[in-house]
Amino acid sequence: MTQTLLLLPGDGIGPEVIAEARRVAEIVAPDLAFQTGLVGGASIDANGEPLTVETLVMAKSSDAVLLGAVGGAKWVDVERNLRPEMGLLQLRKGMDVFANLRPAFCFPALVDASTLKREHVEGLDIMIVRELTSGVYFGEPRGIERGIGEKSFGFETSRYTAGEIERVTRVAFDIARGRQGRVCSTEKSNVMESGLFWRETVTALHAEEGIGVELSHMYADACAMELVRAPTQFDTILAGNLFGDILSDAAAMLTGSIGMLPSASLGKEGTPGLYEPVHGSAPDIAGQGRANPCATILSLEMALRWSLGRPEVADRVFSAVGKALENGARTADLGGSLSTSQMTDAIVAEL
Ligand code: IPM
Ligand code: MG
């Protein structure tokens, strides 16, 4: 049966990097069928909302979704529920992709591109597993109470059910088993009830199902510090939605450029995954052909591996990116001068 890859280019540099990933996909997986849809600002402009039911239905009936980026200055004054970012959150929630995998891998050729010294990032290979569809991002009630002067307030709810914690922890355990077998779970159990419950739940699940996995715990703030002090100590980091968001940005910079980092968001077995570069829409360089396509091409690589059942093809893409970098191919974010399509040419030449 033909597999379908839904492309959602989105905004800013999104369309530029998605076009390059599509070129690579057409070479390594010529039998794939492509569909294209709108998300974020592009969807607001066309349909008045950042994610339409039609796009969500297309996403859920595809085999994998590859998304570029959402957001931009044009839509900052749009009502909150209609902001481009909401389209992304609704897509994650609608597809129920609760486990977000964010690898922070330092390609040997880029060891000197990091702001950290070579000795700290050489051999860096971390996988952050971030819970993606719950926690403070989605907890109710939330809101802003205005009009009561000094007592006006804004608030949200940080809530995690046992089931939500367990299902993402299981993914972290599975991922770790395919790596070094070490999971470091992060939260703020010293100040947050939801953090204490997170730690208890992860610990209990580990006792029941954690064979082959070494579990440790760290407060999220300490983890942020350790990520820049001695990052190679980590194998797999498990985090809730908000802390995972922050820790993954910190980890991204260890690898040289956020333009290198892919992500995979997975749901229940047999449901399509959502793949996106970790970088944003980068409005400052949009339309100039300067964006680094690697994060999106590596997101395609993750889609081939985790949703499309083609690990050998994924390996080929991964090593082609590594070889292109070894041969000196660099976009501006990595200190080079290649354009987006020239960088892809360099990767394609290695395939
Ligand atoms: C990310 C981004 C998103 C998030 C934004 C764009 C909603 O920062 O994917 O890390 O906070 O999850
Ligand atoms: Mg983020």
Side-chain angles (χ1 to χ4, degrees):
M1 247 181 62
T2 307
Q3 290 180 314
T4 307
L5 181 64
L6 173 64
L7 303 172
L8 298 177
D11 311 320
I13 60 171
E16 299 164 45
V17 290
I18 288 288
E20 303 303 323
R22 179 176 182 151
R23 265 175 71 196
V24 173
E26 282 170 349
I27 293 168
V28 298
D31 59 307
L32 277 186
F34 296 95
Q35 285 190 323
T36 310
L38 296 175
V39 71
S43 178
I44 296 174
D45 289 352
N47 307 308
E49 50 182 349
L51 179 74
T52 60
V53 175
E54 291 75 31
T55 303
L56 180 58
V57 167
M58 264 207 286
K60 288 167 89 166
S61 56
S62 70
D63 291 280
V65 179
L66 188 63
L67 184 142
V70 298
K74 186 174 172 195
W75 305 281
V76 282
D77 294 327
V78 173
E79 186 202 318
R80 186 166 195 84
N81 283 338
L82 294 176
R83 296 272 291 271
E85 291 78 5
M86 274 300 156
L88 181 57
L89 296 186
Q90 287 163 3
L91 185 64
R92 290 171 177 172
K93 190 84 177 167
M95 292 177 72
D96 197 25
V97 284
F98 59 86
N100 181 217
L101 275 42
R102 297 192 164 183
F105 177 82
C106 190
F107 283 92
L110 294 184
V111 166
D112 293 312
S114 172
T115 46
L116 262 67
K117 293 195 197 96
R118 162 182 274 274
E119 68 219 64
H120 297 305
V121 293
E122 208 155 27
L124 181 92
D125 181 4
I126 302 174
M127 180 67 90
I128 297 185
V129 180
R130 166 191 178 193
E131 199 291 325
L132 201 61
T133 52
S134 183
V136 75
Y137 270 59
F138 294 94
E140 297 285 344
R142 60 196 293 129
I144 301 180
E145 278 301 323
R146 299 180 202 274
I148 39 178
E150 272 193 349
K151 294 210 166 120
S152 300
F153 60 95
F155 69 108
E156 31 254 317
T157 305
S158 177
R159 181 199 308 272
Y160 266 117
T161 66
E164 288 167 343
I165 300 169
E166 283 167 3
R167 66 179 187 167
V168 71
T169 302
R170 262 185 210 111
V171 173
F173 287 174
D174 279 348
I175 295 287
R177 284 189 191 100
R179 298 169 47 91
Q180 293 175 42
R182 294 185 289 117
V183 172
C184 178
S185 171
T186 60
E187 25 61 14
K188 284 285 289 176
S189 57
N190 50 348
V191 288
M192 296 171 73
E193 303 307 317
S194 58
L196 181 60
F197 187 64
W198 178 282
R199 185 179 287 221
E200 288 170 5
T201 308
V202 171
T203 303
L205 191 77
H206 181 252
E208 282 170 28
E209 301 180 18
I211 300 161
V213 176
E214 187 187 314
L215 175 67
S216 62
H217 302 274
M218 207 180 265
Y219 297 137
D221 53 344
C223 182
M225 183 179 73
E226 290 298 323
L227 270 175
V228 287
R229 192 188 69 83
T232 54
Q233 71 183 281
F234 294 106
D235 174 33
T236 305
I237 295 175
L238 170 64
N241 209 342
L242 181 59
F243 295 138
D245 179 45
I246 296 167
L247 295 174
S248 61
D249 263 28
M253 265 328 283
L254 305 173
T255 68
S257 166
I258 198 164
M260 291 303 302
L261 285 198
S263 77
S265 304
L266 309 179
K268 279 195 217 64
E269 194 136 358
T271 62
L274 171 63
Y275 299 83
E276 37 171 330
V278 170
H279 62 67
S281 57
D284 51 324
I285 58 162
Q288 300 173 24
R290 288 171 57 202
N292 184 349
C294 288
T296 311
I297 292 170
L298 291 169
S299 298
L300 168 71
E301 180 262 336
M302 293 188 89
L304 291 163
R305 192 179 301 282
W306 298 100
S307 285
L308 303 173
R310 306 177 190 216
E312 299 85 12
V313 181
D315 288 346
R316 273 179 65 207
V317 172
F318 190 83
S319 73
V321 172
K323 282 192 203 130
L325 293 168
E326 267 161 45
N327 293 339
R330 301 277 190 284
T331 38
D333 55 310
L334 299 169
S337 59
L338 292 191
S339 69
T340 308
S341 62
Q342 286 169 334
M343 186 73 195
T344 313
D345 293 341
I347 294 166
V348 166
E350 301 296 339
L351 281 169

